[in-house]
Amino acid sequence: MFDSHWRDVAVIAELRAQRTAQPRSAGMTMVIDTGLGVAATADILEVAGDYIDLWKLSFGTSVFVRPAVLERKLELINARNILTCPGGTLFEAAILQHHCRVYMTRAVEVGFTAVEISDGTIELPAFRRQRVIDCARNEGLVVVTEVGKKDPNAQPPIAQLAEQALRDLDWGAHWVIVEGRESGISVGVYDGQGAVDAEALDTFARVLGDKIDRLIWEAPQKHQQTALIDRFGINVGLGNVAPEHVLALESLRLGLRFETLKPIADKLQLSGLWAPDQIEADVIGEATGSPATPSRVSPIFLTPTPPRKGRG
């Protein structure tokens, strides 16, 4: 149940009913962690843990954290049933020298519950990609793959990325990340200015069909998150979110920021359910015509009527 002092206030009450809850089958939020300490991690979990589904220790940063510290950190996150994984680049660095089983076994020993399998920097033929997915699953890890290249000058066709995502899901990946990097510029579905390519989104939607909810779009910029919410709804999977921005993203999803509240307000006004110049009843008694006491104060509105000229 959604527990908040504000749970019945404003549009959030209706939208919250549509928002998926943990454990989510859609609407994932993936945070990108580049070096939070144990105390900072605990603070984020206390405030925003209910809205985080996948915690990625990116850039191979877990390599540089003392084992005891890393283990305490992962224990905190895992206790909230949030998936934890090292970044895909660490996997790519490991697979250059070792059998995939070495990497997967080590990930389990350290305390990770998921792994990211990618080829954003290296080349990984399809048959090896499938074998690595099997390797991770055999170790009991949740498989999260990533499609796309990190080099802005070596971007594959969008249709190719979509088809690869579908194959990964068929091979056993639970989620597929669409590459966006930390900048959200000139990679994946983003152009050189970071704008979202609507045709690219349509291509993914066409190829993935009803599996589109299994994608996590790396979307580090707010306008990118807005565009993806507008296209796929509040339960779109979004990634590369800074831990301290998780609640801001949830506000964006649920119509509590300008970018998503404005369309809601415009729609309500057009339908007649919100009239800007409608007199607001200060108390229940004023709305019903019966006496009211201060304890019955309620910010309800009178029955909506067509907008009138002038002010009441």
Side-chain angles (χ1 to χ4, degrees):
M1 180 179 177
F2 180 48
D3 186 16
S4 168
H5 284 302
W6 302 100
R7 58 186 172 273
D8 299 321
V9 174
V11 294
I12 192 174
E14 179 180 347
L15 290 181
R16 186 62 184 81
Q18 302 171 26
R19 180 73 172 108
T20 54
Q22 293 174 325
R24 293 182 176 87
S25 58
M28 296 279 283
T29 292
M30 178 189 80
V31 299
I32 180 172
D33 176 356
T34 59
L36 288 181
V38 174
T41 297
D43 285 343
I44 293 293
L45 290 170
E46 181 178 16
V47 173
D50 291 342
Y51 310 103
I52 301 172
D53 306 286
L54 175 59
W55 193 297
K56 179 165 73 171
L57 279 68
S58 196
F59 307 142
T61 50
S62 59
V63 169
F64 308 103
V65 181
R66 285 182 285 115
V69 175
L70 179 59
E71 290 165 14
R72 288 204 306 273
K73 180 173 176 175
L74 291 176
E75 286 173 2
L76 284 174
I77 304 169
N78 292 337
R80 295 295 298 264
N81 293 318
I82 297 169
L83 292 173
T84 50
C85 78
T89 303
L90 181 57
F91 158 75
E92 294 180 41
I95 204 71
L96 291 175
Q97 293 179 297
H98 300 284
H99 190 284
C100 62
R101 192 177 303 113
V102 173
Y103 179 78
M104 303 306 170
T105 302
R106 182 63 56 84
V108 172
E109 291 173 349
V110 172
F112 288 102
T113 58
V115 286
E116 179 185 337
I117 296 170
S118 67
D119 58 359
T121 302
I122 67 173
E123 294 300 324
L124 195 65
F127 79 93
R128 289 202 66 187
R129 190 178 181 94
Q130 184 177 13
R131 289 172 60 89
V132 171
I133 291 173
D134 289 340
C135 185
R137 296 181 67 197
N138 289 339
E139 292 297 328
L141 291 160
V142 173
V143 176
V144 182
T145 63
E146 183 178 66
V147 296
K149 295 294 185 180
K150 296 185 182 300
D151 186 350
N153 297 315
Q155 293 299 297
I158 291 296
Q160 179 179 321
L161 297 184
E163 289 160 3
Q164 182 179 349
L166 185 60
R167 283 197 303 271
D168 286 354
L169 293 170
D170 290 340
W171 287 339
H174 204 82
W175 306 99
V176 178
I177 298 169
V178 180
E179 178 70 75
R181 301 206 69 183
E182 297 70 44
S183 63
I185 295 174
S186 298
V187 291
V189 297
Y190 308 122
D191 67 15
Q193 286 69 50
V196 179
D197 183 341
E199 290 186 7
L201 300 187
D202 291 342
T203 298
F204 268 99
R206 174 178 53 79
V207 173
L208 271 296
D210 60 3
K211 294 183 179 180
I212 193 70
D213 288 342
R214 305 276 292 280
L215 297 185
I216 301 173
W217 307 84
E218 290 187 341
Q221 300 186 37
K222 183 178 66 173
H223 71 88
Q224 296 167 348
Q225 298 164 3
T226 302
L228 288 160
I229 292 170
D230 182 60
R231 175 62 178 80
F232 297 111
I234 63 175
N235 289 314
V236 62
L238 296 172
N240 278 14
V241 179
E244 64 271 20
H245 294 166
V246 168
L247 293 185
L249 171 58
E250 201 65 21
S251 293
L252 190 68
R253 289 185 188 273
L254 297 187
L256 292 177
R257 298 180 72 175
F258 165 79
E259 291 81 1
T260 47
L261 178 58
K262 183 64 163 62
I264 293 171
D266 290 345
K267 183 178 179 180
L268 289 175
Q269 185 172 354
L270 185 64
S271 68
L273 294 175
W274 157 245
D277 62 349
Q278 175 66 58
I279 298 174
E280 185 179 29
D282 292 325
V283 293
I284 291 176
E286 183 178 329
T288 62
S290 61
T293 61
S295 63
R296 298 174 66 191
V297 173
S298 175
I300 65 171
F301 287 87
L302 298 171
T303 302
T305 58
R308 305 190 312 274
K309 294 182 179 179
R311 296 178 63 86

